[in-house]
Amino acid sequence: MENSILIYNTLSRKKEEFVPYNPPFVGLYVCGPTVYGDAHLGHARAAISFDLVFRYLTAVGYKVRYVRNITDVGHLENDADEGEDKIAKKARLEQLEPMEVVQYYTDRYHSNMDQLNVRKPSIEPRASGHIIEQIELVKKILAEGFAYESNGSIYFDVAKYNESHHYGELSGRVLEDMLSNTRALDGQDEKKNSFDFALWKQAQPEHIMRWPSPWGDGFPGWHMECSAMSCKYLGEQFDIHGGGMDLMFPHHEAEIAQSVVANGRQPVHYWMHNNMITIGGQKMGKSLGNFITLDEFFSGNHDRLERAYSPMTIRFFILQAHYRSTLDFSNEALQAAEKGFHRLLAANETLKKLKPSDVSSVDIAAITKGCYDAMNDDFNSPQVIATLFEGVRVINQIHDGKETISAADLVLLNETFNIFVVDVLGLLDEVTAGGQDSKVNGLMELILQIRQNARTTKDWGTSDLIRDELKSLSIQVKDTKEGPVWSVED
Ligand code: ZN
Protein backbone atom coordinates (compact mmCIF):
# COMPACT_ATOMS: atom_id res chain seq x y z
CA MET A 1 0.00 0.00 0.00
CA GLU A 2 1.40 3.39 -0.88
CA ASN A 3 -0.75 5.03 1.73
CA SER A 4 0.73 5.33 5.16
CA ILE A 5 -2.17 5.34 7.60
CA LEU A 6 -1.86 6.52 11.19
CA ILE A 7 -4.18 4.95 13.75
CA TYR A 8 -4.60 6.19 17.31
CA ASN A 9 -4.03 3.04 19.36
CA THR A 10 -5.87 3.14 22.67
CA LEU A 11 -3.43 0.58 24.07
CA SER A 12 -0.28 2.66 23.46
CA ARG A 13 -2.14 6.00 23.75
CA LYS A 14 -0.52 7.35 20.62
CA LYS A 15 -0.88 7.39 16.86
CA GLU A 16 0.97 4.53 15.20
CA GLU A 17 1.60 3.70 11.57
CA PHE A 18 -0.75 0.95 10.45
CA VAL A 19 1.20 -2.16 9.46
CA PRO A 20 -1.01 -5.26 9.17
CA TYR A 21 0.36 -8.64 10.24
CA ASN A 22 -0.27 -10.16 6.85
CA PRO A 23 -0.85 -7.53 4.13
CA PRO A 24 -2.94 -7.10 2.06
CA PHE A 25 -5.18 -8.95 4.53
CA VAL A 26 -6.58 -7.08 7.51
CA GLY A 27 -8.50 -8.57 10.44
CA LEU A 28 -11.04 -6.17 11.93
CA TYR A 29 -13.25 -7.08 14.89
CA VAL A 30 -15.92 -4.76 16.26
CA CYS A 31 -18.24 -5.36 19.20
CA GLY A 32 -21.79 -5.35 17.85
CA PRO A 33 -25.10 -4.80 19.62
CA THR A 34 -26.76 -6.72 22.42
CA VAL A 35 -30.09 -7.32 20.73
CA TYR A 36 -32.77 -6.59 23.34
CA GLY A 37 -34.00 -3.19 22.15
CA ASP A 38 -34.10 -0.77 19.25
CA ALA A 39 -30.85 0.77 18.00
CA HIS A 40 -30.23 4.40 18.97
CA LEU A 41 -27.81 7.12 17.98
CA GLY A 42 -24.98 5.49 19.97
CA HIS A 43 -25.34 2.29 17.95
CA ALA A 44 -25.30 4.35 14.76
CA ARG A 45 -22.10 6.08 15.80
CA ALA A 46 -20.20 2.87 16.56
CA ALA A 47 -21.42 1.21 13.36
CA ILE A 48 -20.66 4.24 11.14
CA SER A 49 -17.22 4.88 12.75
CA PHE A 50 -16.02 1.38 11.92
CA ASP A 51 -17.88 1.30 8.61
CA LEU A 52 -15.65 4.27 7.72
CA VAL A 53 -12.53 2.30 8.72
CA PHE A 54 -13.75 -0.76 6.78
CA ARG A 55 -14.58 1.34 3.71
CA TYR A 56 -11.32 3.30 3.68
CA LEU A 57 -9.04 0.30 4.18
CA THR A 58 -10.95 -1.43 1.37
CA ALA A 59 -10.75 1.66 -0.87
CA VAL A 60 -6.94 1.81 -0.60
CA GLY A 61 -6.62 -1.86 -1.51
CA TYR A 62 -6.63 -3.92 1.69
CA LYS A 63 -8.64 -7.14 1.84
CA VAL A 64 -10.51 -6.68 5.07
CA ARG A 65 -12.21 -9.50 6.96
CA TYR A 66 -14.64 -7.56 9.09
CA VAL A 67 -16.22 -9.46 11.99
CA ARG A 68 -19.00 -7.76 13.95
CA ASN A 69 -20.77 -9.92 16.50
CA ILE A 70 -24.33 -10.09 17.77
CA THR A 71 -24.57 -10.51 21.55
CA ASP A 72 -27.57 -12.72 22.16
CA VAL A 73 -26.69 -14.30 25.50
CA GLY A 74 -24.73 -13.64 28.66
CA HIS A 75 -24.94 -9.84 28.85
CA LEU A 76 -26.27 -9.23 32.33
CA GLU A 77 -27.82 -5.97 33.48
CA ASN A 78 -24.81 -5.06 35.58
CA ASP A 79 -21.10 -4.96 34.82
CA ALA A 80 -20.41 -6.86 38.02
CA ASP A 81 -22.08 -9.95 36.51
CA GLU A 82 -25.25 -9.28 38.45
CA GLY A 83 -28.89 -8.99 37.57
CA GLU A 84 -30.80 -10.77 34.87
CA ASP A 85 -29.62 -11.52 31.34
CA LYS A 86 -30.83 -8.51 29.29
CA ILE A 87 -32.40 -10.67 26.60
CA ALA A 88 -33.96 -13.15 29.02
CA LYS A 89 -35.50 -10.24 30.93
CA LYS A 90 -37.03 -8.77 27.79
CA ALA A 91 -38.33 -12.23 26.83
CA ARG A 92 -39.92 -12.63 30.26
CA LEU A 93 -41.57 -9.19 30.11
CA GLU A 94 -42.92 -9.75 26.60
CA GLN A 95 -43.74 -13.44 27.10
CA LEU A 96 -41.57 -14.50 24.19
CA GLU A 97 -38.96 -17.16 23.63
CA PRO A 98 -35.55 -15.41 24.06
CA MET A 99 -34.55 -16.29 20.49
CA GLU A 100 -37.71 -14.51 19.27
CA VAL A 101 -36.45 -11.37 21.00
CA VAL A 102 -33.03 -11.90 19.42
CA GLN A 103 -34.45 -12.40 15.92
CA TYR A 104 -36.81 -9.45 16.19
CA TYR A 105 -34.17 -6.93 17.30
CA THR A 106 -31.47 -8.34 15.03
CA ASP A 107 -33.77 -7.82 12.02
CA ARG A 108 -34.55 -4.28 13.15
CA TYR A 109 -30.86 -3.55 13.70
CA HIS A 110 -30.05 -4.78 10.19
CA SER A 111 -32.78 -2.67 8.65
CA ASN A 112 -31.50 0.44 10.50
CA MET A 113 -27.95 -0.30 9.32
CA ASP A 114 -29.18 -0.66 5.71
CA GLN A 115 -30.95 2.69 6.00
CA LEU A 116 -27.71 4.28 7.22
CA ASN A 117 -25.83 2.65 4.32
CA VAL A 118 -23.56 0.76 6.74
CA ARG A 119 -21.89 -2.07 4.85
CA LYS A 120 -22.54 -5.58 6.08
CA PRO A 121 -19.63 -7.18 7.94
CA SER A 122 -17.88 -10.16 6.33
CA ILE A 123 -18.95 -12.39 9.23
CA GLU A 124 -21.60 -11.67 11.85
CA PRO A 125 -21.25 -14.40 14.49
CA ARG A 126 -23.66 -14.85 17.39
CA ALA A 127 -22.58 -15.65 20.92
CA SER A 128 -25.22 -18.40 21.23
CA GLY A 129 -23.76 -20.10 18.15
CA HIS A 130 -20.30 -20.33 19.76
CA ILE A 131 -20.95 -21.91 23.16
CA ILE A 132 -18.54 -24.78 22.47
CA GLU A 133 -15.69 -22.41 21.60
CA GLN A 134 -16.39 -20.41 24.76
CA ILE A 135 -16.39 -23.54 26.95
CA GLU A 136 -13.06 -24.58 25.42
CA LEU A 137 -11.64 -21.15 26.24
CA VAL A 138 -12.84 -21.39 29.86
CA LYS A 139 -11.13 -24.79 30.12
CA LYS A 140 -7.87 -23.29 28.83
CA ILE A 141 -7.94 -20.42 31.32
CA LEU A 142 -8.74 -22.85 34.18
CA ALA A 143 -5.86 -25.10 33.09
CA GLU A 144 -3.50 -22.10 33.14
CA GLY A 145 -4.54 -21.45 36.73
CA PHE A 146 -6.08 -18.00 36.21
CA ALA A 147 -9.68 -18.95 37.02
CA TYR A 148 -11.53 -20.66 39.84
CA GLU A 149 -14.82 -22.46 40.27
CA SER A 150 -17.38 -21.28 42.76
CA ASN A 151 -20.89 -22.79 43.04
CA GLY A 152 -20.86 -24.02 39.44
CA SER A 153 -19.67 -20.65 38.09
CA ILE A 154 -16.15 -19.92 36.84
CA TYR A 155 -14.50 -16.57 37.59
CA PHE A 156 -11.35 -15.00 36.24
CA ASP A 157 -8.82 -14.38 39.02
CA VAL A 158 -7.96 -10.74 38.34
CA ALA A 159 -5.59 -10.30 41.31
CA LYS A 160 -3.56 -13.32 40.27
CA TYR A 161 -3.39 -12.11 36.66
CA ASN A 162 -2.27 -8.70 37.85
CA GLU A 163 0.75 -10.25 39.63
CA SER A 164 2.36 -11.04 36.28
CA HIS A 165 0.43 -8.71 33.93
CA HIS A 166 -1.16 -5.31 34.09
CA TYR A 167 -4.94 -5.58 34.44
CA GLY A 168 -6.00 -2.11 33.34
CA GLU A 169 -3.40 -1.54 30.63
CA LEU A 170 -6.05 -0.58 28.07
CA SER A 171 -8.22 1.69 30.19
CA GLY A 172 -5.30 3.09 32.18
CA ARG A 173 -6.69 1.83 35.46
CA VAL A 174 -4.62 0.58 38.34
CA LEU A 175 -5.89 -2.45 40.21
CA GLU A 176 -4.93 -1.07 43.63
CA ASP A 177 -7.10 2.00 42.98
CA MET A 178 -9.93 -0.20 41.84
CA LEU A 179 -9.59 -2.22 45.04
CA SER A 180 -10.07 0.81 47.24
CA ASN A 181 -12.95 2.07 45.12
CA THR A 182 -15.05 -1.09 45.06
CA ARG A 183 -17.50 -1.93 47.78
CA ALA A 184 -16.51 -4.48 50.38
CA LEU A 185 -17.81 -7.96 49.73
CA ASP A 186 -20.62 -9.01 52.02
CA GLY A 187 -19.40 -12.59 52.29
CA GLN A 188 -22.37 -13.87 50.29
CA ASP A 189 -20.50 -13.32 47.07
CA GLU A 190 -19.09 -16.23 45.14
CA LYS A 191 -16.14 -14.17 43.97
CA LYS A 192 -12.78 -13.76 45.68
CA ASN A 193 -12.73 -10.12 44.65
CA SER A 194 -15.53 -7.92 43.41
CA PHE A 195 -13.68 -7.11 40.17
CA ASP A 196 -13.26 -10.79 39.22
CA PHE A 197 -15.47 -11.40 36.20
CA ALA A 198 -17.52 -14.41 35.18
CA LEU A 199 -16.25 -16.72 32.45
CA TRP A 200 -19.18 -19.05 32.97
CA LYS A 201 -22.28 -18.56 35.10
CA GLN A 202 -24.32 -21.29 36.66
CA ALA A 203 -27.94 -21.06 35.49
CA GLN A 204 -30.53 -20.72 38.23
CA PRO A 205 -33.56 -23.02 37.74
CA GLU A 206 -35.67 -20.18 36.26
CA HIS A 207 -32.93 -19.17 33.79
CA ILE A 208 -34.03 -20.39 30.34
CA MET A 209 -30.95 -19.61 28.22
CA ARG A 210 -28.70 -22.43 29.38
CA TRP A 211 -26.27 -24.99 28.03
CA PRO A 212 -24.58 -28.06 29.55
CA SER A 213 -20.93 -27.70 30.50
CA PRO A 214 -18.31 -29.57 32.58
CA TRP A 215 -19.42 -27.34 35.50
CA GLY A 216 -23.15 -27.94 35.13
CA ASP A 217 -25.86 -26.09 33.21
CA GLY A 218 -25.06 -22.46 32.63
CA PHE A 219 -24.17 -19.76 30.16
CA PRO A 220 -21.01 -17.88 29.17
CA GLY A 221 -19.95 -14.57 30.71
CA TRP A 222 -20.39 -11.64 28.36
CA HIS A 223 -16.66 -10.97 27.76
CA MET A 224 -16.02 -14.53 26.60
CA GLU A 225 -17.76 -14.35 23.24
CA CYS A 226 -15.51 -11.68 21.75
CA SER A 227 -12.32 -13.49 22.77
CA ALA A 228 -13.63 -16.81 21.43
CA MET A 229 -15.11 -15.50 18.17
CA SER A 230 -12.33 -13.07 17.25
CA CYS A 231 -9.80 -15.89 17.72
CA LYS A 232 -11.90 -18.32 15.70
CA TYR A 233 -12.33 -16.02 12.68
CA LEU A 234 -9.25 -13.77 12.82
CA GLY A 235 -6.65 -15.82 14.68
CA GLU A 236 -4.86 -15.48 18.03
CA GLN A 237 -3.37 -12.16 16.93
CA PHE A 238 -5.25 -9.82 14.65
CA ASP A 239 -4.94 -6.23 13.47
CA ILE A 240 -7.76 -4.00 14.70
CA HIS A 241 -10.35 -4.31 17.47
CA GLY A 242 -12.97 -1.58 17.71
CA GLY A 243 -15.90 -0.59 19.84
CA GLY A 244 -17.44 2.24 21.80
CA MET A 245 -15.43 3.87 24.59
CA ASP A 246 -17.98 2.59 27.09
CA LEU A 247 -16.81 -0.96 26.28
CA MET A 248 -13.16 -0.28 27.14
CA PHE A 249 -13.69 -1.28 30.75
CA PRO A 250 -14.42 -3.92 31.79
CA HIS A 251 -15.36 -5.58 28.48
CA HIS A 252 -12.19 -5.04 26.42
CA GLU A 253 -9.89 -5.16 29.43
CA ALA A 254 -11.36 -8.58 30.24
CA GLU A 255 -11.00 -9.70 26.61
CA ILE A 256 -7.29 -8.91 26.70
CA ALA A 257 -6.76 -10.77 30.00
CA GLN A 258 -8.65 -13.84 28.76
CA SER A 259 -6.77 -14.01 25.47
CA VAL A 260 -3.36 -13.31 27.01
CA VAL A 261 -3.84 -16.21 29.43
CA ALA A 262 -5.24 -18.58 26.79
CA ASN A 263 -2.76 -17.83 23.99
CA GLY A 264 0.20 -16.29 25.78
CA ARG A 265 0.19 -13.06 23.79
CA GLN A 266 -1.62 -9.80 23.15
CA PRO A 267 -4.60 -10.56 20.89
CA VAL A 268 -4.90 -7.15 19.21
CA HIS A 269 -2.39 -4.83 17.56
CA TYR A 270 -4.52 -1.65 17.31
CA TRP A 271 -7.37 -0.94 19.71
CA MET A 272 -9.77 1.74 18.44
CA HIS A 273 -12.58 3.34 20.44
CA ASN A 274 -15.26 5.71 19.24
CA ASN A 275 -16.48 8.41 21.59
CA MET A 276 -20.03 8.79 22.88
CA ILE A 277 -23.00 10.89 21.79
CA THR A 278 -24.42 13.31 24.30
CA ILE A 279 -27.72 15.16 24.32
CA GLY A 280 -27.45 18.65 25.71
CA GLY A 281 -24.08 17.64 27.18
CA GLN A 282 -25.66 14.69 29.01
CA LYS A 283 -25.07 11.02 28.44
CA MET A 284 -27.91 9.35 26.54
CA GLY A 285 -29.81 6.75 28.51
CA LYS A 286 -33.23 5.20 28.97
CA SER A 287 -33.35 6.30 32.60
CA LEU A 288 -32.47 9.90 31.68
CA GLY A 289 -35.50 10.20 29.39
CA ASN A 290 -33.34 11.54 26.54
CA PHE A 291 -33.07 8.26 24.73
CA ILE A 292 -33.99 8.56 21.02
CA THR A 293 -34.03 5.50 18.77
CA LEU A 294 -33.05 5.63 15.10
CA ASP A 295 -36.62 4.91 14.02
CA GLU A 296 -37.75 7.90 16.07
CA PHE A 297 -35.18 10.08 14.30
CA PHE A 298 -36.35 8.84 10.90
CA SER A 299 -40.04 9.45 11.75
CA GLY A 300 -39.63 12.57 13.90
CA ASN A 301 -41.81 10.88 16.49
CA HIS A 302 -40.18 11.99 19.78
CA ASP A 303 -40.71 14.97 22.10
CA ARG A 304 -37.15 16.18 21.68
CA LEU A 305 -37.29 16.17 17.87
CA GLU A 306 -38.59 19.21 16.02
CA ARG A 307 -39.09 17.03 12.94
CA ALA A 308 -37.89 13.91 11.15
CA TYR A 309 -34.27 13.52 10.01
CA SER A 310 -33.31 11.24 7.15
CA PRO A 311 -30.80 8.39 7.62
CA MET A 312 -28.26 10.19 5.41
CA THR A 313 -28.58 13.34 7.52
CA ILE A 314 -27.81 11.25 10.62
CA ARG A 315 -24.86 9.65 8.82
CA PHE A 316 -23.47 13.00 7.70
CA PHE A 317 -23.97 14.46 11.20
CA ILE A 318 -21.94 11.60 12.72
CA LEU A 319 -19.17 11.87 10.10
CA GLN A 320 -18.86 15.61 10.69
CA ALA A 321 -17.17 14.81 14.01
CA HIS A 322 -13.97 12.84 14.42
CA TYR A 323 -14.74 9.41 15.86
CA ARG A 324 -12.66 10.13 18.97
CA SER A 325 -14.47 13.42 19.75
CA THR A 326 -17.69 13.65 21.67
CA LEU A 327 -20.69 14.57 19.57
CA ASP A 328 -23.57 16.51 21.01
CA PHE A 329 -27.02 16.06 19.56
CA SER A 330 -29.35 19.02 19.01
CA ASN A 331 -32.03 19.85 16.45
CA GLU A 332 -29.94 22.83 15.31
CA ALA A 333 -26.86 20.65 14.74
CA LEU A 334 -28.89 18.12 12.74
CA GLN A 335 -30.50 20.83 10.63
CA ALA A 336 -27.09 22.34 9.91
CA ALA A 337 -25.82 18.87 8.95
CA GLU A 338 -28.78 18.41 6.61
CA LYS A 339 -28.03 21.73 4.87
CA GLY A 340 -24.36 20.88 4.47
CA PHE A 341 -25.20 17.44 3.14
CA HIS A 342 -27.57 18.85 0.52
CA ARG A 343 -24.98 21.43 -0.58
CA LEU A 344 -22.44 18.64 -1.05
CA LEU A 345 -24.89 16.54 -3.08
CA ALA A 346 -25.97 19.50 -5.22
CA ALA A 347 -22.34 20.22 -6.08
CA ASN A 348 -21.84 16.53 -6.91
CA GLU A 349 -24.70 16.88 -9.45
CA THR A 350 -23.24 20.12 -10.85
CA LEU A 351 -19.89 18.36 -11.20
CA LYS A 352 -21.40 15.86 -13.66
CA LYS A 353 -22.45 18.74 -15.93
CA LEU A 354 -19.14 20.66 -15.98
CA LYS A 355 -17.42 21.14 -19.34
CA PRO A 356 -13.63 21.00 -19.58
CA SER A 357 -11.43 23.85 -20.89
CA ASP A 358 -7.90 23.74 -22.29
CA VAL A 359 -6.27 24.63 -19.01
CA SER A 360 -7.08 24.49 -15.30
CA SER A 361 -7.10 27.61 -13.17
CA VAL A 362 -7.73 25.45 -10.08
CA ASP A 363 -5.57 22.95 -8.14
CA ILE A 364 -7.55 19.69 -8.16
CA ALA A 365 -4.59 17.50 -7.15
CA ALA A 366 -4.41 19.44 -3.87
CA ILE A 367 -8.06 18.55 -3.11
CA THR A 368 -7.46 14.87 -3.85
CA LYS A 369 -4.32 14.83 -1.71
CA GLY A 370 -6.14 16.69 1.07
CA CYS A 371 -8.80 13.94 1.21
CA TYR A 372 -6.22 11.12 1.42
CA ASP A 373 -4.11 13.02 3.96
CA ALA A 374 -7.16 13.50 6.17
CA MET A 375 -8.16 9.83 6.07
CA ASN A 376 -4.56 8.72 6.60
CA ASP A 377 -4.49 10.79 9.77
CA ASP A 378 -6.58 8.50 11.98
CA PHE A 379 -9.65 8.51 9.72
CA ASN A 380 -10.29 12.24 10.08
CA SER A 381 -13.71 12.43 8.43
CA PRO A 382 -14.47 16.08 9.40
CA GLN A 383 -11.24 17.08 7.66
CA VAL A 384 -12.26 15.07 4.56
CA ILE A 385 -15.61 16.84 4.56
CA ALA A 386 -13.89 20.25 4.90
CA THR A 387 -11.65 19.38 1.94
CA LEU A 388 -14.63 18.22 -0.13
CA PHE A 389 -16.28 21.58 0.57
CA GLU A 390 -13.19 23.22 -0.88
CA GLY A 391 -14.08 21.12 -3.95
CA VAL A 392 -17.70 22.33 -3.75
CA ARG A 393 -16.49 25.94 -3.89
CA VAL A 394 -14.31 25.14 -6.93
CA ILE A 395 -17.14 23.29 -8.71
CA ASN A 396 -19.52 26.21 -8.27
CA GLN A 397 -16.92 28.70 -9.49
CA ILE A 398 -16.21 26.63 -12.61
CA HIS A 399 -19.96 26.33 -13.16
CA ASP A 400 -20.29 30.15 -12.89
CA GLY A 401 -17.48 30.63 -15.41
CA LYS A 402 -15.11 32.18 -12.83
CA GLU A 403 -12.57 29.34 -13.02
CA THR A 404 -11.66 26.73 -15.64
CA ILE A 405 -10.79 23.03 -15.45
CA SER A 406 -8.86 20.80 -17.89
CA ALA A 407 -10.23 17.47 -19.11
CA ALA A 408 -7.70 15.49 -17.02
CA ASP A 409 -8.48 17.52 -13.90
CA LEU A 410 -12.20 17.04 -14.45
CA VAL A 411 -11.68 13.27 -14.50
CA LEU A 412 -9.62 13.52 -11.29
CA LEU A 413 -12.24 15.67 -9.55
CA ASN A 414 -15.02 13.24 -10.50
CA GLU A 415 -12.92 10.34 -9.29
CA THR A 416 -12.15 12.07 -6.01
CA PHE A 417 -15.81 12.83 -5.31
CA ASN A 418 -16.79 9.27 -6.20
CA ILE A 419 -14.16 7.73 -3.94
CA PHE A 420 -14.65 10.01 -0.95
CA VAL A 421 -18.34 10.97 -1.04
CA VAL A 422 -19.73 7.63 -2.19
CA ASP A 423 -17.21 4.87 -1.36
CA VAL A 424 -15.48 6.17 1.77
CA LEU A 425 -18.04 8.40 3.51
CA GLY A 426 -20.85 6.21 2.16
CA LEU A 427 -23.14 9.16 1.44
CA LEU A 428 -25.97 8.52 -0.97
CA ASP A 429 -28.48 10.81 -2.57
CA GLU A 430 -31.59 9.49 -0.85
CA VAL A 431 -33.91 10.35 -3.73
CA THR A 432 -31.93 9.11 -6.71
CA ALA A 433 -30.52 6.17 -4.75
CA GLY A 434 -33.79 4.33 -5.22
CA GLY A 435 -36.19 6.11 -2.91
CA GLN A 436 -39.89 5.52 -3.62
CA ASP A 437 -40.30 9.01 -5.07
CA SER A 438 -37.78 8.51 -7.83
CA LYS A 439 -39.35 5.21 -8.84
CA VAL A 440 -42.81 6.76 -9.04
CA ASN A 441 -41.39 9.66 -11.07
CA GLY A 442 -39.77 7.25 -13.48
CA LEU A 443 -42.97 5.23 -13.88
CA MET A 444 -45.06 8.34 -14.49
CA GLU A 445 -42.65 9.52 -17.13
CA LEU A 446 -43.01 6.17 -18.87
CA ILE A 447 -46.81 6.23 -18.71
CA LEU A 448 -46.99 9.79 -20.06
CA GLN A 449 -44.62 8.84 -22.89
CA ILE A 450 -46.91 5.96 -23.88
CA ARG A 451 -49.90 8.35 -23.75
CA GLN A 452 -48.02 10.85 -25.91
CA ASN A 453 -47.18 8.14 -28.46
CA ALA A 454 -50.83 7.06 -28.56
CA ARG A 455 -51.96 10.64 -29.23
CA THR A 456 -49.42 11.04 -32.01
CA THR A 457 -50.77 7.91 -33.76
CA LYS A 458 -54.38 9.01 -33.02
CA ASP A 459 -54.87 5.93 -30.82
CA TRP A 460 -57.55 7.70 -28.75
CA GLY A 461 -58.62 4.48 -27.06
CA THR A 462 -55.25 4.02 -25.35
CA SER A 463 -54.85 7.68 -24.56
CA ASP A 464 -58.33 7.87 -22.93
CA LEU A 465 -57.71 4.63 -21.02
CA ILE A 466 -54.53 6.07 -19.49
CA ARG A 467 -56.26 9.36 -18.61
CA ASP A 468 -59.28 7.61 -17.00
CA GLU A 469 -57.19 5.09 -15.07
CA LEU A 470 -54.92 7.82 -13.74
CA LYS A 471 -57.96 9.85 -12.78
CA SER A 472 -59.36 6.91 -10.80
CA LEU A 473 -56.03 6.97 -8.89
CA SER A 474 -56.52 10.74 -8.27
CA ILE A 475 -53.64 11.57 -10.59
CA GLN A 476 -54.35 14.57 -12.83
CA VAL A 477 -52.53 15.16 -16.11
CA LYS A 478 -52.36 18.63 -17.71
CA ASP A 479 -50.96 19.29 -21.17
CA THR A 480 -48.67 22.29 -21.27
CA LYS A 481 -46.35 23.80 -23.87
CA GLU A 482 -43.43 21.96 -22.24
CA GLY A 483 -45.32 18.68 -22.40
CA PRO A 484 -47.67 16.89 -19.99
CA VAL A 485 -47.30 17.45 -16.21
CA TRP A 486 -48.94 15.36 -13.55
CA SER A 487 -50.04 15.96 -10.00
CA VAL A 488 -51.82 14.05 -7.27
CA GLU A 489 -55.18 15.54 -6.25
CA ASP A 490 -55.84 15.88 -2.53
ZN1 ZN B 1 -17.12 -7.38 22.52
Side-chain angles (χ1 to χ4, degrees):
M1 304 299 125
E2 38 194 295
N3 273 285
S4 162
I5 300 172
L6 291 176
I7 296 182
Y8 181 86
N9 189 348
T10 316
L11 191 59
S12 67
R13 292 169 185 76
K14 59 176 194 269
K15 285 184 191 171
E16 293 176 24
E17 192 185 342
F18 179 57
V19 184
Y21 285 117
N22 185 25
F25 302 99
V26 171
L28 169 64
Y29 187 93
V30 173
C31 291
T34 302
V35 280
Y36 70 103
D38 275 337
H40 53 69
L41 212 48
H43 291 104
R45 190 168 197 199
I48 289 171
S49 296
F50 294 102
D51 186 48
L52 180 75
V53 172
F54 180 34
R55 283 169 174 274
Y56 187 60
L57 292 177
T58 306
V60 297
Y62 287 112
K63 301 205 178 312
V64 185
R65 184 181 294 164
Y66 177 19
V67 182
R68 189 186 68 206
N69 67 309
I70 294 279
T71 297
D72 60 357
V73 68
H75 194 174
L76 305 187
E77 290 171 283
N78 184 310
D79 273 345
D81 299 319
E82 286 162 3
E84 242 179 303
D85 181 294
K86 291 182 178 189
I87 288 156
K89 183 179 180 184
K90 188 82 176 179
R92 179 172 59 75
L93 292 174
E94 303 203 347
Q95 293 188 296
L96 294 168
E97 150 70 28
M99 282 302 141
E100 280 183 286
V101 172
V102 166
Q103 192 66 52
Y104 179 77
Y105 287 109
T106 303
D107 288 347
R108 288 175 72 85
Y109 179 75
H110 285 157
S111 117
N112 281 159
M113 292 304 113
D114 288 347
Q115 286 170 301
L116 291 168
N117 198 27
V118 169
R119 278 192 190 160
K120 290 175 178 29
S122 328
I123 305 174
E124 192 172 48
R126 284 185 182 188
S128 65
H130 297 75
I131 301 294
I132 292 169
E133 288 83 349
Q134 295 181 74
I135 290 174
E136 288 307 307
L137 186 53
V138 178
K139 284 189 196 164
K140 251 183 163 178
I141 297 170
L142 270 171
E144 294 293 333
F146 285 92
Y148 56 92
E149 185 175 351
S150 177
N151 282 338
S153 293
I154 312 290
Y155 292 98
F156 192 90
D157 192 338
V158 170
K160 173 155 190 211
Y161 176 79
N162 198 55
E163 287 168 14
S164 47
H165 305 80
H166 175 197
Y167 185 74
E169 59 182 330
L170 183 68
S171 56
R173 297 185 190 211
V174 177
L175 190 64
E176 286 68 32
D177 297 346
M178 286 189 261
L179 266 171
S180 57
N181 285 333
T182 46
R183 63 182 169 72
L185 293 178
D186 54 13
Q188 299 291 318
D189 206 298
E190 304 174 343
K191 302 181 189 180
K192 287 192 200 166
N193 284 301
S194 60
F195 43 74
D196 289 351
F197 54 87
L199 303 179
W200 185 264
K201 285 282 272 186
Q202 185 187 47
Q204 298 306 308
E206 67 276 14
H207 196 99
I208 29 185
M209 299 171 89
R210 59 201 295 148
W211 290 265
S213 83
W215 318 286
D217 276 11
F219 56 94
W222 172 39
H223 315 310
M224 287 304 285
E225 62 179 282
C226 292
S227 284
M229 299 190 299
S230 64
C231 183
K232 172 162 179 156
Y233 297 111
L234 300 174
E236 289 180 5
Q237 277 193 309
F238 59 95
D239 299 300
I240 304 173
H241 192 315
M245 251 172 64
D246 53 337
L247 296 180
M248 200 189 294
F249 190 90
H251 185 56
H252 293 158
E253 204 76 71
E255 264 189 61
I256 293 179
Q258 291 167 164
S259 297
V260 164
V261 166
N263 303 320
R265 47 188 178 166
Q266 280 287 341
V268 176
H269 196 165
Y270 307 90
W271 280 93
M272 295 179 70
H273 290 95
N274 68 274
N275 213 319
M276 302 290 101
I277 289 189
T278 53
I279 295 190
Q282 252 192 337
K283 202 182 167 222
M284 203 170 51
K286 266 184 185 152
S287 55
L288 297 168
N290 61 3
F291 185 86
I292 311 173
T293 68
L294 290 171
D295 282 344
E296 286 165 343
F297 274 105
F298 302 158
S299 68
N301 189 16
H302 190 283
D303 289 350
R304 284 195 173 240
L305 298 176
E306 284 169 11
R307 58 179 175 78
Y309 299 98
S310 73
M312 280 302 118
T313 298
I314 300 285
R315 186 172 177 106
F316 189 79
F317 168 68
I318 286 171
L319 290 170
Q320 268 187 320
H322 188 260
Y323 76 90
R324 284 193 289 117
S325 311
T326 54
L327 177 57
D328 196 51
F329 155 83
S330 69
N331 281 285
E332 297 72 46
L334 272 176
Q335 282 159 25
E338 188 181 71
K339 259 191 201 155
F341 173 56
H342 287 158
R343 259 182 67 217
L344 182 63
L345 284 186
N348 204 16
E349 285 307 305
T350 309
L351 171 59
K352 289 172 193 153
K353 294 180 217 141
L354 292 186
K355 300 271 180 295
S357 308
D358 291 339
V359 286
S360 282
S361 63
V362 286
D363 188 356
I364 302 302
I367 292 171
T368 308
K369 182 175 181 298
C371 288
Y372 280 103
D373 286 350
M375 283 308 290
N376 289 341
D377 185 15
D378 196 27
F379 309 95
N380 193 336
S381 56
Q383 187 58 41
V384 174
I385 291 172
T387 310
L388 288 169
F389 272 106
E390 179 56 25
V392 168
R393 197 179 60 83
V394 165
I395 289 166
N396 291 332
Q397 283 183 331
I398 298 166
H399 185 66
D400 294 345
K402 290 174 186 154
E403 303 278 4
T404 59
I405 188 165
S406 70
D409 272 351
L410 190 53
V411 170
L412 179 63
L413 189 56
N414 265 296
E415 223 175 65
T416 304
F417 265 66
N418 269 329
I419 292 174
F420 286 94
V421 177
V422 180
D423 294 347
V424 174
L425 297 180
L427 296 169
L428 290 176
D429 185 335
E430 276 157 315
V431 178
T432 59
Q436 284 302 322
D437 289 355
S438 72
K439 287 190 180 147
V440 171
N441 282 333
L443 276 175
M444 279 308 295
E445 251 171 59
L446 176 66
I447 290 166
L448 294 179
Q449 186 60 50
I450 294 170
R451 173 174 168 273
Q452 201 58 38
N453 293 351
R455 286 160 71 108
T456 312
T457 57
K458 298 195 164 46
D459 177 2
W460 306 117
T462 302
S463 132
D464 288 351
L465 175 72
I466 291 174
R467 185 200 58 209
D468 294 345
E469 286 299 313
L470 288 178
K471 199 165 182 205
S472 73
L473 293 168
S474 306
I475 296 175
Q476 205 178 32
V477 179
K478 266 190 209 160
D479 289 293
T480 70
K481 270 190 234 160
E482 284 78 37
V485 292
W486 65 278
S487 59
V488 180
E489 290 170 343
D490 289 329

